[in-house]
Coordinates of all heavy atoms in Angstrom, one line a residue:
Y250 N 34.2 142.3 -70.9 CA 34.8 141.0 -71.3 C 34.1 139.9 -70.5 O 33.9 140.0 -69.3 CB 36.3 141.0 -70.9 CG 37.0 139.7 -71.2 CD1 37.4 139.5 -72.4 CD2 37.3 138.8 -70.2 CE1 38.1 138.3 -72.7 CE2 37.9 137.7 -70.4 CZ 38.3 137.4 -71.7 OH 39.0 136.2 -72.0
I251 N 33.8 138.8 -71.2 CA 33.2 137.6 -70.6 C 34.1 136.4 -70.8 O 34.4 136.1 -71.9 CB 31.8 137.4 -71.2 CG1 30.9 138.6 -71.1 CG2 31.1 136.2 -70.6 CD1 29.7 138.6 -72.1
S252 N 34.5 135.8 -69.7 CA 35.3 134.6 -69.7 C 34.5 133.4 -69.6 O 33.7 133.3 -68.7 CB 36.4 134.7 -68.6 OG 37.2 133.6 -68.6
G253 N 34.6 132.5 -70.5 CA 33.9 131.2 -70.5 C 32.5 131.2 -71.1 O 32.2 132.1 -72.0
T254 N 31.7 130.3 -70.7 CA 30.3 130.2 -71.2 C 29.3 130.8 -70.3 O 29.6 131.0 -69.1 CB 30.0 128.7 -71.5 OG1 30.1 128.0 -70.3 CG2 31.0 128.1 -72.5
T255 N 28.1 131.0 -70.8 CA 27.0 131.5 -69.9 C 25.7 130.7 -70.4 O 25.6 130.4 -71.6 CB 26.7 133.0 -70.1 OG1 26.2 133.2 -71.4 CG2 27.9 133.8 -69.9
T256 N 24.8 130.5 -69.5 CA 23.5 129.9 -69.9 C 22.6 131.1 -70.2 O 21.5 130.8 -70.7 CB 22.9 129.1 -68.7 OG1 22.8 129.9 -67.6 CG2 23.7 127.9 -68.5
G257 N 23.0 132.3 -70.0 CA 22.3 133.5 -70.3 C 22.7 134.6 -69.5 O 22.9 134.5 -68.3
L258 N 23.0 135.8 -70.1 CA 23.5 136.9 -69.4 C 22.9 138.2 -70.1 O 23.1 138.5 -71.2 CB 25.0 137.0 -69.5 CG 25.7 138.1 -68.9 CD1 25.5 138.1 -67.4 CD2 27.2 138.1 -69.2
A259 N 22.1 138.9 -69.3 CA 21.6 140.2 -69.7 C 22.7 141.3 -69.4 O 23.1 141.5 -68.3 CB 20.3 140.6 -68.9
I260 N 23.2 141.8 -70.5 CA 24.3 142.8 -70.3 C 23.8 144.3 -70.4 O 24.6 145.2 -70.1 CB 25.5 142.6 -71.3 CG1 25.1 142.6 -72.7 CG2 26.1 141.2 -70.9 CD1 26.3 142.5 -73.7
K261 N 22.6 144.4 -70.9 CA 22.0 145.8 -70.9 C 20.4 145.6 -70.8 O 19.9 144.7 -71.6 CB 22.4 146.6 -72.1 CG 21.8 148.0 -72.0 CD 22.5 149.0 -72.9 CE 21.8 150.4 -72.6 NZ 22.5 151.4 -73.2
S262 N 19.8 146.3 -70.0 CA 18.3 146.2 -69.8 C 17.5 147.4 -70.3 O 16.5 147.7 -69.8 CB 18.0 145.9 -68.4 OG 18.4 147.0 -67.6
S263 N 18.0 148.0 -71.3 CA 17.4 149.1 -72.0 C 17.8 149.2 -73.4 O 18.8 148.6 -73.8 CB 17.7 150.4 -71.2 OG 19.1 150.7 -71.2
P264 N 17.2 150.1 -74.2 CA 17.6 150.2 -75.6 C 19.0 150.7 -75.8 O 19.5 151.3 -74.9 CB 16.6 151.2 -76.2 CG 15.4 151.1 -75.3 CD 16.0 150.8 -73.9
G265 N 19.6 150.3 -76.9 CA 21.0 150.8 -77.1 C 21.5 150.4 -78.5 O 20.7 150.0 -79.4
H266 N 22.8 150.3 -78.6 CA 23.4 150.1 -79.9 C 24.5 149.0 -79.7 O 25.4 149.1 -78.9 CB 24.1 151.4 -80.5 CG 24.8 151.2 -81.7 ND1 26.2 151.0 -81.8 CD2 24.4 151.1 -83.0 CE1 26.5 150.8 -83.1 NE2 25.4 150.9 -83.8
L267 N 24.5 148.0 -80.5 CA 25.5 146.9 -80.5 C 26.5 147.2 -81.6 O 26.1 147.3 -82.8 CB 24.8 145.5 -80.8 CG 25.8 144.3 -80.9 CD1 26.6 144.2 -79.7 CD2 25.0 143.1 -81.2
G268 N 27.7 147.5 -81.2 CA 28.8 147.8 -82.2 C 29.4 146.5 -82.8 O 29.3 146.2 -84.0
K269 N 30.1 145.7 -81.9 CA 30.7 144.5 -82.4 C 30.9 143.5 -81.3 O 30.8 143.9 -80.1 CB 32.1 144.9 -83.1 CG 33.1 145.5 -82.1 CD 34.3 145.9 -82.8 CE 35.3 146.6 -81.9 NZ 36.5 147.1 -82.6
I270 N 31.2 142.3 -81.7 CA 31.5 141.2 -80.8 C 32.8 140.5 -81.2 O 32.9 140.2 -82.4 CB 30.3 140.2 -80.7 CG1 29.1 140.8 -80.1 CG2 30.8 139.0 -79.8 CD1 27.9 139.9 -80.1
T271 N 33.7 140.3 -80.3 CA 34.9 139.6 -80.6 C 34.9 138.3 -79.7 O 34.7 138.4 -78.5 CB 36.2 140.4 -80.3 OG1 36.2 141.6 -81.1 CG2 37.5 139.7 -80.5
I272 N 35.2 137.2 -80.3 CA 35.2 136.0 -79.6 C 36.6 135.3 -79.9 O 37.0 135.2 -81.1 CB 34.0 135.0 -79.8 CG1 34.2 133.7 -79.0 CG2 33.9 134.7 -81.3 CD1 33.0 132.8 -79.0
A273 N 37.2 134.8 -78.9 CA 38.5 134.0 -79.0 C 38.2 132.6 -78.4 O 37.8 132.5 -77.3 CB 39.6 134.7 -78.3
R274 N 38.6 131.6 -79.2 CA 38.5 130.2 -78.7 C 39.9 129.7 -78.8 O 40.6 129.7 -79.8 CB 37.6 129.4 -79.6 CG 37.5 128.0 -79.2 CD 36.6 127.2 -80.2 NE 36.4 125.8 -79.8 CZ 37.2 124.8 -80.2 NH1 38.1 125.1 -81.1 NH2 36.9 123.6 -79.8
N275 N 40.3 129.1 -77.7 CA 41.7 128.5 -77.6 C 41.6 127.4 -76.6 O 41.1 127.5 -75.5 CB 42.7 129.6 -77.1 CG 44.1 129.1 -77.0 OD1 44.4 128.0 -77.6 ND2 44.9 129.8 -76.3
G276 N 42.1 126.2 -77.0 CA 42.3 125.1 -76.1 C 41.6 123.9 -76.5 O 41.0 123.7 -77.6
A277 N 41.6 122.9 -75.5 CA 41.1 121.6 -75.8 C 39.6 121.6 -76.0 O 38.9 122.5 -75.5 CB 41.5 120.7 -74.6
G278 N 39.2 120.6 -76.6 CA 37.7 120.4 -76.8 C 37.3 120.5 -78.2 O 37.6 121.5 -78.8
G279 N 36.7 119.5 -78.7 CA 36.1 119.6 -80.1 C 34.8 120.3 -80.1 O 34.2 120.5 -79.1
G280 N 34.3 120.5 -81.3 CA 33.0 121.1 -81.4 C 33.0 122.6 -81.5 O 34.0 123.3 -81.5
D281 N 31.8 123.1 -81.7 CA 31.6 124.6 -81.9 C 31.6 125.4 -80.6 O 31.2 124.9 -79.6 CB 30.3 124.8 -82.7 CG 30.3 124.3 -84.1 OD1 31.4 124.0 -84.6 OD2 29.2 124.2 -84.7
A282 N 31.9 126.6 -80.8 CA 31.7 127.6 -79.8 C 30.6 128.6 -80.4 O 30.8 129.0 -81.6 CB 32.9 128.4 -79.4
T283 N 29.6 128.9 -79.7 CA 28.5 129.7 -80.3 C 28.1 130.8 -79.3 O 28.0 130.6 -78.1 CB 27.3 128.8 -80.5 OG1 27.6 127.7 -81.3 CG2 26.1 129.6 -81.2
I284 N 27.9 132.0 -79.9 CA 27.3 133.1 -79.2 C 25.9 133.4 -79.9 O 25.9 133.7 -81.1 CB 28.1 134.4 -79.2 CG1 29.5 134.1 -78.6 CG2 27.4 135.6 -78.5 CD1 30.4 135.3 -78.8
S285 N 24.9 133.4 -79.1 CA 23.6 133.8 -79.6 C 23.2 135.2 -79.0 O 23.4 135.4 -77.7 CB 22.5 132.8 -79.2 OG 22.8 131.5 -79.8
V286 N 22.8 136.1 -79.8 CA 22.5 137.5 -79.3 C 21.1 137.8 -79.5 O 20.5 137.5 -80.5 CB 23.4 138.5 -80.2 CG1 23.2 139.9 -79.7 CG2 24.8 138.1 -80.3
Y287 N 20.5 138.4 -78.4 CA 19.0 138.6 -78.4 C 18.7 140.1 -78.1 O 19.4 140.7 -77.3 CB 18.4 137.8 -77.4 CG 18.6 136.3 -77.6 CD1 19.7 135.6 -77.0 CD2 17.7 135.5 -78.4 CE1 19.9 134.3 -77.2 CE2 17.9 134.2 -78.6 CZ 19.0 133.6 -78.0 OH 19.2 132.2 -78.2
D288 N 17.7 140.7 -78.7 CA 17.2 142.0 -78.4 C 16.0 141.7 -77.4 O 14.9 141.6 -77.7 CB 16.6 142.7 -79.6 CG 16.0 144.0 -79.3 OD1 16.0 144.4 -78.1 OD2 15.6 144.7 -80.2
A289 N 16.4 141.4 -76.1 CA 15.5 141.0 -75.1 C 16.2 140.9 -73.8 O 17.4 141.2 -73.7 CB 14.9 139.6 -75.5
L290 N 15.4 140.5 -72.7 CA 16.0 140.3 -71.4 C 16.1 138.8 -71.1 O 16.3 138.4 -70.0 CB 15.2 141.1 -70.4 CG 15.1 142.6 -70.6 CD1 14.3 143.2 -69.5 CD2 16.6 143.2 -70.6
S291 N 15.8 138.0 -72.1 CA 15.9 136.5 -72.0 C 16.2 136.0 -73.4 O 16.4 136.8 -74.4 CB 14.6 136.0 -71.5 OG 13.5 136.2 -72.4
A292 N 16.3 134.7 -73.6 CA 16.6 134.1 -74.9 C 15.5 134.1 -75.8 O 15.0 133.0 -76.3 CB 17.2 132.7 -74.6
T293 N 14.9 135.3 -76.2 CA 13.9 135.4 -77.2 C 14.3 136.5 -78.1 O 15.1 137.4 -77.8 CB 12.5 135.7 -76.5 OG1 12.7 137.0 -75.8 CG2 12.1 134.7 -75.6
N294 N 13.7 136.5 -79.3 CA 14.0 137.6 -80.3 C 15.5 137.6 -80.7 O 16.1 138.7 -80.6 CB 13.5 138.9 -79.8 CG 13.4 139.9 -81.0 OD1 13.2 139.6 -82.1 ND2 13.5 141.2 -80.6
Q295 N 16.0 136.5 -81.3 CA 17.4 136.5 -81.7 C 17.7 137.5 -82.8 O 16.9 137.5 -83.8 CB 17.7 135.1 -82.1 CG 19.2 134.9 -82.3 CD 19.6 133.4 -82.6 OE1 18.9 132.7 -83.3 NE2 20.7 133.0 -82.0
I296 N 18.8 138.2 -82.6 CA 19.2 139.2 -83.7 C 20.6 138.8 -84.2 O 21.0 139.5 -85.2 CB 19.2 140.6 -83.1 CG1 20.1 140.8 -81.9 CG2 17.7 141.0 -82.8 CD1 20.2 142.2 -81.4
G297 N 21.3 137.9 -83.7 CA 22.6 137.5 -84.2 C 23.1 136.2 -83.6 O 22.6 135.7 -82.6
R298 N 24.0 135.6 -84.4 CA 24.6 134.3 -83.9 C 26.0 134.2 -84.6 O 26.2 134.5 -85.7 CB 23.8 133.2 -84.4 CG 24.3 131.8 -83.9 CD 23.3 130.7 -84.3 NE 23.7 129.4 -83.8 CZ 24.5 128.6 -84.4 NH1 25.0 128.9 -85.5 NH2 24.8 127.4 -83.8
I299 N 27.0 133.8 -83.7 CA 28.3 133.6 -84.2 C 28.7 132.1 -83.8 O 28.5 131.8 -82.7 CB 29.3 134.5 -83.6 CG1 29.0 136.0 -83.8 CG2 30.7 134.2 -84.1 CD1 29.8 137.0 -83.0
A300 N 29.2 131.4 -84.8 CA 29.6 130.0 -84.5 C 31.0 129.8 -85.0 O 31.3 130.2 -86.2 CB 28.7 129.0 -85.0
I301 N 31.9 129.3 -84.2 CA 33.3 129.0 -84.7 C 33.6 127.5 -84.3 O 33.1 127.0 -83.3 CB 34.3 130.0 -84.2 CG1 34.3 130.0 -82.6 CG2 34.1 131.3 -84.7 CD1 35.4 130.9 -82.1
D302 N 34.4 126.9 -85.1 CA 34.7 125.5 -84.8 C 36.2 125.2 -84.8 O 36.7 124.1 -85.0 CB 34.1 124.6 -85.9 CG 34.6 124.8 -87.3 OD1 35.4 125.7 -87.5 OD2 34.1 124.1 -88.2
Q303 N 37.0 126.2 -84.6 CA 38.4 126.1 -84.5 C 39.0 127.1 -83.5 O 38.3 128.0 -83.1 CB 39.1 126.2 -85.8 CG 38.8 127.5 -86.5 CD 39.3 127.6 -87.9 OE1 40.4 127.2 -88.2 NE2 38.5 128.1 -88.8
D304 N 40.3 126.9 -83.2 CA 41.0 127.9 -82.3 C 41.3 129.1 -83.2 O 42.1 129.1 -84.0 CB 42.2 127.3 -81.7 CG 41.9 126.3 -80.7 OD1 40.8 126.1 -80.3 OD2 42.9 125.6 -80.2
I305 N 40.6 130.2 -82.9 CA 40.6 131.4 -83.7 C 40.1 132.6 -82.9 O 39.3 132.4 -82.0 CB 39.9 131.2 -85.0 CG1 40.1 132.3 -86.0 CG2 38.4 131.1 -84.8 CD1 39.6 132.0 -87.4
T306 N 40.4 133.8 -83.3 CA 39.8 135.0 -82.8 C 39.1 135.7 -84.0 O 39.8 136.0 -85.0 CB 40.8 135.9 -82.1 OG1 41.4 135.3 -81.0 CG2 40.2 137.2 -81.6
I307 N 37.9 136.0 -83.8 CA 37.2 136.8 -84.9 C 36.4 137.9 -84.3 O 36.0 137.9 -83.1 CB 36.2 135.9 -85.7 CG1 35.1 135.3 -84.8 CG2 37.0 134.7 -86.4 CD1 33.9 134.7 -85.6
T308 N 36.2 138.9 -85.1 CA 35.3 140.1 -84.7 C 34.2 140.2 -85.7 O 34.5 140.2 -86.9 CB 36.2 141.4 -84.7 OG1 37.2 141.2 -83.7 CG2 35.3 142.6 -84.3
V309 N 33.0 140.3 -85.3 CA 31.8 140.6 -86.1 C 31.3 142.0 -85.8 O 31.0 142.3 -84.7 CB 30.8 139.5 -85.9 CG1 29.5 139.8 -86.7 CG2 31.3 138.1 -86.2
D310 N 31.3 142.8 -86.8 CA 30.7 144.2 -86.7 C 29.2 144.1 -86.9 O 28.8 143.6 -88.0 CB 31.3 145.1 -87.7 CG 32.8 145.4 -87.4 OD1 33.1 145.7 -86.3 OD2 33.6 145.3 -88.4
Y311 N 28.4 144.5 -85.9 CA 27.0 144.4 -86.0 C 26.4 145.8 -86.4 O 25.5 145.9 -87.2 CB 26.3 143.9 -84.7 CG 26.3 142.4 -84.6 CD1 27.3 141.7 -83.9 CD2 25.3 141.7 -85.2 CE1 27.3 140.4 -83.8 CE2 25.3 140.3 -85.1 CZ 26.3 139.7 -84.4 OH 26.3 138.3 -84.4
D312 N 26.8 146.8 -85.7 CA 26.3 148.2 -86.0 C 24.8 148.2 -86.1 O 24.2 148.6 -87.1 CB 26.9 148.8 -87.2 CG 26.6 150.2 -87.4 OD1 26.4 150.9 -86.4 OD2 26.6 150.7 -88.5
L313 N 24.1 147.7 -85.0 CA 22.6 147.7 -85.0 C 22.0 148.2 -83.7 O 22.7 148.2 -82.7 CB 22.1 146.3 -85.4 CG 22.4 145.1 -84.5 CD1 21.4 145.0 -83.3 CD2 22.3 143.8 -85.3
T314 N 20.8 148.6 -83.8 CA 20.1 149.1 -82.6 C 19.2 148.0 -82.0 O 18.6 147.2 -82.8 CB 19.2 150.3 -83.1 OG1 20.0 151.3 -83.6 CG2 18.4 150.8 -81.9
F315 N 19.3 147.9 -80.7 CA 18.4 147.0 -80.0 C 17.4 147.8 -79.2 O 17.7 148.9 -78.7 CB 19.1 145.9 -79.2 CG 20.1 146.4 -78.2 CD1 19.7 146.7 -76.9 CD2 21.4 146.6 -78.6 CE1 20.7 147.2 -76.0 CE2 22.4 147.1 -77.7 CZ 22.0 147.4 -76.4
N316 N 16.2 147.3 -79.1 CA 15.1 148.1 -78.5 C 14.7 147.7 -77.1 O 14.2 148.6 -76.3 CB 13.8 148.0 -79.4 CG 14.1 148.5 -80.8 OD1 14.5 149.6 -80.9 ND2 13.9 147.7 -81.8
V317 N 14.9 146.5 -76.7 CA 14.5 146.0 -75.4 C 15.7 145.9 -74.4 O 15.7 146.5 -73.3 CB 13.8 144.7 -75.5 CG1 13.4 144.1 -74.1 CG2 12.6 144.8 -76.3
G318 N 16.7 145.3 -74.8 CA 17.9 145.0 -74.0 C 18.8 144.1 -74.8 O 18.6 143.7 -75.9
L319 N 20.0 143.8 -74.2 CA 21.0 143.0 -74.9 C 21.3 141.8 -74.0 O 21.7 141.9 -72.9 CB 22.2 143.8 -75.1 CG 23.3 143.1 -76.0 CD1 22.7 142.8 -77.4 CD2 24.5 144.1 -76.2
Y320 N 21.0 140.6 -74.6 CA 21.1 139.3 -73.8 C 21.9 138.3 -74.7 O 21.7 138.2 -75.9 CB 19.7 138.7 -73.6 CG 19.6 137.6 -72.7 CD1 19.5 137.7 -71.3 CD2 19.6 136.3 -73.2 CE1 19.4 136.6 -70.5 CE2 19.5 135.2 -72.4 CZ 19.4 135.4 -71.0 OH 19.3 134.3 -70.1
L321 N 22.9 137.7 -74.0 CA 23.8 136.7 -74.7 C 23.7 135.4 -74.1 O 23.6 135.2 -72.8 CB 25.2 137.2 -74.6 CG 25.6 138.6 -75.1 CD1 27.1 138.8 -74.8 CD2 25.3 138.7 -76.5
V322 N 23.8 134.4 -74.9 CA 24.0 133.0 -74.5 C 25.3 132.5 -75.2 O 25.4 132.6 -76.4 CB 22.9 132.1 -74.9 CG1 23.2 130.6 -74.5 CG2 21.6 132.5 -74.2
I323 N 26.3 132.1 -74.4 CA 27.6 131.7 -74.9 C 27.8 130.2 -74.5 O 27.8 129.9 -73.4 CB 28.8 132.5 -74.4 CG1 28.5 134.0 -74.6 CG2 30.1 132.1 -75.0 CD1 29.5 135.0 -73.9
S324 N 28.0 129.4 -75.5 CA 28.2 127.9 -75.3 C 29.3 127.4 -76.1 O 29.7 128.0 -77.1 CB 26.9 127.2 -75.5 OG 26.5 127.3 -76.9
G325 N 29.8 126.3 -75.7 CA 30.8 125.6 -76.6 C 32.0 125.0 -75.8 O 32.0 125.0 -74.6
A326 N 32.9 124.6 -76.6 CA 34.1 123.9 -76.1 C 35.3 124.8 -76.2 O 35.4 125.7 -77.0 CB 34.3 122.6 -76.9
G327 N 36.4 124.4 -75.5 CA 37.6 125.2 -75.5 C 37.5 126.3 -74.5 O 36.6 126.5 -73.7
T328 N 38.5 127.1 -74.4 CA 38.6 128.3 -73.5 C 38.1 129.5 -74.3 O 38.7 129.8 -75.4 CB 40.0 128.5 -73.1 OG1 40.5 127.3 -72.4 CG2 40.1 129.7 -72.1
L329 N 37.0 130.1 -73.9 CA 36.4 131.2 -74.6 C 36.6 132.5 -73.9 O 36.5 132.6 -72.7 CB 34.9 130.9 -74.8 CG 34.5 129.6 -75.4 CD1 33.0 129.4 -75.4 CD2 35.0 129.5 -76.8
G330 N 36.8 133.5 -74.7 CA 36.8 134.9 -74.2 C 36.1 135.8 -75.2 O 36.3 135.7 -76.4
T331 N 35.1 136.6 -74.6 CA 34.2 137.3 -75.5 C 34.3 138.8 -75.1 O 34.1 139.1 -73.9 CB 32.8 136.8 -75.4 OG1 32.8 135.4 -75.7 CG2 31.9 137.5 -76.4
T332 N 34.4 139.7 -76.0 CA 34.3 141.1 -75.7 C 33.1 141.7 -76.6 O 33.1 141.4 -77.8 CB 35.6 141.8 -76.1 OG1 36.7 141.2 -75.4 CG2 35.5 143.3 -75.8
V333 N 32.2 142.4 -75.9 CA 31.1 143.0 -76.6 C 31.2 144.5 -76.5 O 31.4 145.1 -75.4 CB 29.8 142.5 -75.9 CG1 28.6 143.1 -76.6 CG2 29.7 141.0 -75.9
T334 N 31.1 145.2 -77.6 CA 31.1 146.7 -77.6 C 29.6 147.1 -77.9 O 29.0 146.8 -78.9 CB 32.0 147.2 -78.7 OG1 33.3 146.6 -78.6 CG2 32.1 148.7 -78.7
F335 N 29.1 147.9 -76.9 CA 27.7 148.4 -77.0 C 27.6 149.7 -76.2 O 28.5 150.0 -75.4 CB 26.8 147.3 -76.5 CG 26.9 147.0 -75.0 CD1 26.1 147.7 -74.1 CD2 27.8 146.1 -74.5 CE1 26.2 147.4 -72.7 CE2 28.0 145.9 -73.2 CZ 27.1 146.5 -72.3
D336 N 26.5 150.4 -76.4 CA 26.2 151.5 -75.5 C 24.7 151.6 -75.4 O 23.9 150.8 -75.9 CB 26.8 152.8 -76.1 CG 26.3 153.1 -77.5 OD1 25.3 152.7 -78.0 OD2 27.1 153.8 -78.2

């Protein structure tokens, strides 16, 4: 579980499998909340992106293999909570 935003977070530094990502946005602040997903140890080689512009909880099933590592950048307005399922 990741609370809030990140300028970049490596959550795995080896190959693996990304199952799904759930993001919840609740609270003040206009604009989008965005999660960018990378098969890397930095913000390169983007493999996914989720953008929401309202107070909502969504789950995106990815079911994909990453080869280098799993890196996330989470930005946006409101109170954000993100859960990532991977191995």
